[in-house]
Amino acid sequence: MNFELSDEQRMLQENARRYMEKSYAFNNRQAIAADGHFATRQWQEYAELGWLAAGIPEEFGGVGFSPVETTILMEEMGRGLLLEPFLHACLLPAALIQHCANEAHKLQLLPAIGSGEALIAVACSEPESRGDVAWVATRAQRRGDDYVLNGRKSMVVCAAQSDWLLVVARSAGETGDTEGLSIFLLPRDTPGVLLEPVRLLDGTPAADLVLNEVVVPAASLLGAGGAAYAGLQRAIDESIVHQCAEIVGGMEDVLALCAEYLKTRKQFGVAIGSFQALQHRMADMAIETMQARASLHRGLAILASVSAADDERSAQISGCKAQVMRSAKFVTAQGIQLHGGYGVTEEFRVGHHYRRLVLNNAWFGGMDYHLARYARSIQQACAELA
């Protein structure tokens, strides 16, 4: 797979970086975070720029970007500490709809996502799931022409601001089974849906969902009932790779912030960047950032592979996230330390990158979960060769 950017990709990268630097300055971000809501005006700007249509095929009103172009956008958004839910309310629902929905739902929803007319929140995780896509205890019981949903979903980004909810529930089987998963589309204000709003560590608005005897028509079922696991796992795998791109962009911003700080901060009358120990630490941070980028490239190559089976693809992408998280934890923690006590204050960007990393670690499963999953895959492969 060729990772040299084309002229069009470089132009996309430059335009996205200029936009983030000009229109999403750090002071603007602070105001958005303090308000507790993402900026709807900027969301419409993203639609006008074509960014909301990035993950949507052209036949459904999208721009037909490949995962490479989408990760270019995610890198720049990670560099700029974007608060708007581009991954969770744009790329993830678009991927779910493409991989799980019927043609009618695709025609209804994908153009609305790309134009910014509809904001869709995805309720797929639960308090005990810890990244396991099949760990769904929320139940969907068939009653005549309807389904009745009962359960609890956690950390649903921008649930209170959304127009629609995509809720993953179990219509058959037991918790942990890959069979029996279904996805339902329902309006946010559906009777029986209780939102418990929370503000996450970096100011991102989210909510826990309590579903109590929520009655939805069978027509709200996204695709075939009980057969959503494969499409859901594919959408999560793509989202993890995009998440890794955001993390890499944040790491590169931490490196730039530290390099500038070491040039200007003086001790004993000289810039602290002249101290050899700090130069070595910056070198270590640069190496970890390059290793994280290599893991991101590997994730993109895995998504592009037509030969990888679903389970193998997911396990390999788990390995990519585990490595990116490991490298990012080192880089952001060192970045805070290099800034001294200033690193954890609201006024310095480096601490905000660490907060965002904590959330990225929680979304779609943490480093420990993905490392264990990747290790099991390697052990299984070795056992088959023995």
Side-chain angles (χ1 to χ4, degrees):
M1 191 172 186
N2 180 19
F3 289 101
E4 288 291 330
L5 298 184
S6 65
D7 292 340
E8 292 80 5
Q9 290 168 342
R10 278 194 293 271
M11 185 178 300
L12 173 66
Q13 184 183 57
E14 291 167 2
N15 289 340
R17 187 169 300 182
R18 279 199 300 268
Y19 177 88
M20 295 300 297
E21 290 174 350
K22 181 179 178 181
S23 303
Y24 209 86
F26 188 56
N27 290 340
N28 296 342
R29 183 190 185 279
Q30 293 290 78
I32 296 169
D35 182 59
H37 297 80
F38 72 90
T40 53
R41 177 186 61 81
Q42 288 182 282
W43 193 253
Q44 286 304 314
E45 287 183 3
Y46 304 154
E48 293 167 8
L49 289 166
W51 293 357
L52 300 188
I56 300 173
E58 293 183 40
E59 60 265 32
F60 297 107
V63 296
F65 277 176
S66 73
V68 176
E69 285 84 28
T70 310
T71 53
I72 288 172
L73 283 177
M74 287 299 301
E75 274 191 45
E76 297 309 316
M77 291 175 179
R79 189 188 303 272
L81 285 166
L82 190 82
L83 275 172
E84 282 76 46
F86 183 72
L87 175 59
H88 296 273
C90 179
L91 297 182
L92 176 56
L96 270 180
I97 292 163
Q98 288 180 68
H99 297 313
C100 299
N102 56 38
E103 199 72 10
H105 274 137
K106 290 179 182 179
L107 289 170
Q108 173 195 356
L109 299 172
L110 290 177
I113 292 174
S115 65
E117 296 174 12
L119 189 70
I120 302 178
V122 177
C124 58
S125 66
E126 298 189 1
E128 295 83 16
S129 61
R130 299 293 191 270
D132 187 347
V133 171
W135 191 268
V136 176
T138 299
R139 288 284 171 177
Q141 184 179 2
R142 187 70 183 258
R143 293 183 188 173
D145 294 332
D146 300 322
Y147 282 90
V148 180
L149 308 183
N150 286 282
R152 186 181 186 93
K153 313 301 285 191
S154 62
M155 286 184 71
V156 184
V157 175
C158 290
Q161 293 77 25
S162 66
D163 304 301
W164 298 88
L165 299 170
L166 284 176
V167 179
V168 180
R170 181 168 294 284
S171 53
E174 300 299 324
T175 301
D177 292 345
T178 57
E179 301 295 327
L181 294 184
S182 301
I183 303 175
F184 297 87
L185 175 73
L186 55 151
R188 174 178 51 83
D189 57 357
T190 301
V193 177
L194 173 65
L195 300 182
E196 298 177 350
V198 295
R199 286 181 62 189
L200 303 180
L201 188 61
D202 71 339
T204 299
D208 287 353
L209 265 62
V210 179
L211 307 169
N212 184 21
E213 295 293 306
V214 179
V215 180
V216 295
S220 67
L221 187 65
L222 202 73
Y229 174 77
L232 175 60
Q233 184 64 74
R234 174 75 192 196
I236 295 295
D237 289 345
E238 292 175 3
S239 296
I240 289 173
V241 174
H242 294 142
Q243 183 186 57
C244 288
E246 178 190 336
I247 294 170
V248 170
M251 293 169 70
E252 292 190 339
D253 190 48
V254 170
L255 274 178
L257 291 169
C258 290
E260 184 62 28
Y261 185 76
L262 295 185
K263 291 177 185 176
T264 57
R265 178 74 167 93
K266 291 187 176 181
Q267 195 171 20
F268 308 116
V270 297
I272 61 175
S274 63
F275 301 157
Q276 192 175 57
L278 300 188
Q279 293 173 5
H280 289 174
R281 190 171 304 183
M282 283 291 294
D284 290 339
M285 293 165 65
I287 290 169
E288 290 292 342
T289 301
M290 287 187 285
Q291 191 161 350
R293 178 169 292 282
S295 296
L296 168 61
H297 288 178
R298 183 165 177 263
L300 284 168
I302 293 165
L303 286 182
S305 173
V306 295
S307 60
D310 290 347
D311 290 343
E312 179 188 354
R313 181 197 67 232
S314 297
Q316 294 294 319
I317 287 175
S318 281
C320 294
K321 178 168 182 180
Q323 179 57 57
V324 169
M325 281 302 309
R326 175 189 173 279
S327 296
K329 282 185 174 182
F330 175 81
V331 169
T332 52
Q334 293 300 316
I336 288 176
Q337 189 172 20
L338 287 174
H339 279 75
Y342 298 114
V344 295
T345 62
E346 292 288 332
E347 292 78 11
F348 279 73
R349 291 168 60 93
V350 63
H352 291 270
H353 279 295
Y354 188 86
R355 296 181 194 181
R356 183 69 179 180
L357 184 66
V358 171
L359 291 176
N360 273 320
N361 187 54
W363 285 319
F364 311 129
M367 182 178 72
D368 292 341
Y369 167 78
H370 286 287
L371 187 60
R373 187 186 190 195
Y374 183 56
R376 287 194 301 271
S377 173
I378 295 175
Q379 289 169 351
Q380 182 179 352
C382 292
E384 291 172 355
L385 292 174

